[in-house]
Amino acid sequence: MPASADRARVALLIAVLVLTVGCSVHKAAGPARPPAGLRDALSFIHANDITRSYVEYSDVAAINDLARADPARFTTLRSAGLGGLVAHAQRIVSQLGIDPAGMRVRIAAGPATHGAGAWWGDYDRQRADSWFAGHATREDGGVWRAAEDYRTGPLGPVTVARTAPGQFLWANAGDALDWVAAPGRHGLAADPTIAALAACLDDVIAAVIARGDSPGLTGLGGNPAVTYAAGVRAGPATDVTEILCATGQSIGSVDYVTRVLHEAISPTGEPYSTVLPGATVLRAGSSVQVRWRPTGSTPAGRSLDMLHNREHEPIFGAA
């Protein structure tokens, strides 16, 4: 074959490769993949001292399915995973057209005064960007700034945000947005303490993980050497298991926690045996786990409330 024919064939092959690569480079990105469970979601948050202190998670799609079947029992979980936006969700709906209750997964990290979150699900991104274009400034990386860091603006505590297909990121400070926008290799899922508690909770539809001294919990104080977790598992139909976990050097033994549950009075004035009916205590890796199945039609999420209100601390003997 003449050399000119070889050169022509090589040139054609190069042209095909260029076109193929070009098409793949310019192909529109698909919607962001929602995390598959708590441990996967934790990998989307950068691990630092603030994010380690407080995390919320919600499998919104699963909770919505359960709430349709039994509204009285599961509607109580619909605020899980909102973090510092619990009191401001309606602003997001009215201004951006993004309904937090219509997403698939939500996760938030950090206290209300310095937090960030990521939501996955379908929403009208064009409408959201249109609102931002008229009320915010555009910064590097496609970030919208609606107010100065830590200031209240038209979206409440949301000062910076980023939209993407199938994903909405928010924060009340620019550095906090980076926790969810660029978690890198050092996500919370790889943190030994957080990973241990996530394993203790296992397959939950809602969860909170908080260090003992976290400002995300009610009141001041708490033991910084202990980290706690609370979660709700949903079984067949509308069956519920509530879970509390603790890990740290100063937590009580399984025998100690069992004795507290049988004999002690909770901070609400009720015996723990009434608050946590039929609770069992066991060692789950480096954590101590307490779990119980609420009776009758008791609303789900008692474990989350206990953690927020610090009712759990006497149980583990590490207050």
Side-chain angles (χ1 to χ4, degrees):
M1 180 179 293
S4 59
D6 287 341
R7 287 194 296 271
R9 179 171 293 181
V10 170
L12 178 60
L13 179 59
I14 292 173
V16 170
L17 289 172
V18 169
L19 286 172
T20 301
V21 172
C23 288
S24 63
V25 168
H26 295 289
K27 183 179 180 181
R33 174 189 65 82
L38 170 62
R39 279 173 282 190
D40 190 22
L42 290 169
S43 68
F44 286 88
I45 296 179
H46 179 71
N48 59 38
D49 189 59
I50 297 174
T51 60
R52 290 186 190 97
S53 74
Y54 190 82
V55 189
E56 288 187 23
Y57 163 80
S58 172
D59 183 339
V60 187
I63 292 170
N64 286 341
D65 288 343
L66 291 164
R68 281 189 285 269
D70 191 343
R73 194 166 205 196
F74 292 98
T75 301
T76 51
L77 294 178
R78 283 188 161 163
S79 63
L82 285 173
L85 297 191
V86 169
H88 306 277
Q90 191 53 45
R91 290 196 189 193
I92 307 298
V93 176
S94 61
Q95 305 285 25
L96 302 181
I98 303 176
D99 184 2
M103 305 304 277
R104 296 194 61 80
V105 175
R106 297 190 303 249
I107 193 163
T113 55
H114 194 181
W119 302 349
W120 289 265
D122 297 328
Y123 68 97
D124 187 343
R125 185 188 179 195
Q126 184 175 357
R127 175 181 167 179
D129 281 341
S130 178
W131 185 90
F132 278 121
H135 299 82
T137 56
R138 196 75 179 235
E139 297 186 345
D140 293 343
V143 173
W144 292 107
R145 178 169 288 282
E148 294 301 311
D149 286 354
Y150 312 116
R151 299 290 182 89
T152 299
L155 297 177
V158 177
T159 64
V160 286
R162 195 176 81 181
T163 65
Q167 186 185 60
F168 176 69
L169 308 178
W170 64 267
N172 56 14
D175 69 319
L177 190 67
D178 290 338
W179 305 342
V180 289
R185 296 182 179 180
H186 302 291
L188 283 175
D191 179 85
T193 298
I194 302 297
L197 290 167
C200 182
L201 293 177
D202 199 20
D203 187 16
V204 290
I205 59 173
V208 175
I209 300 175
R211 199 170 58 219
D213 63 344
S214 172
L217 304 181
T218 301
L220 301 175
N223 188 340
V226 180
T227 304
Y228 303 97
V232 179
R233 292 181 192 168
T238 57
D239 185 35
V240 168
T241 300
E242 302 268 2
I243 302 168
L244 289 169
C245 299
T247 187
Q249 293 183 349
S250 58
I251 61 173
S253 65
V254 169
D255 289 342
Y256 173 87
V257 173
T258 301
R259 188 166 62 254
V260 169
L261 293 180
H262 287 151
E263 302 174 1
I265 303 297
S266 76
T268 64
E270 298 177 277
Y272 276 118
S273 58
T274 300
V275 178
L276 285 65
T280 59
V281 185
L282 53 87
R283 173 68 65 173
S286 62
S287 305
V288 172
Q289 180 198 82
V290 176
R291 63 183 178 190
W292 71 99
R293 295 176 63 181
T295 57
S297 58
T298 303
R302 184 70 178 93
S303 58
L304 308 182
D305 292 340
M306 291 182 71
L307 187 63
H308 277 127
N309 298 328
R310 298 186 184 275
E311 297 171 47
H312 66 290
E313 291 180 331
I315 295 174
F316 296 102

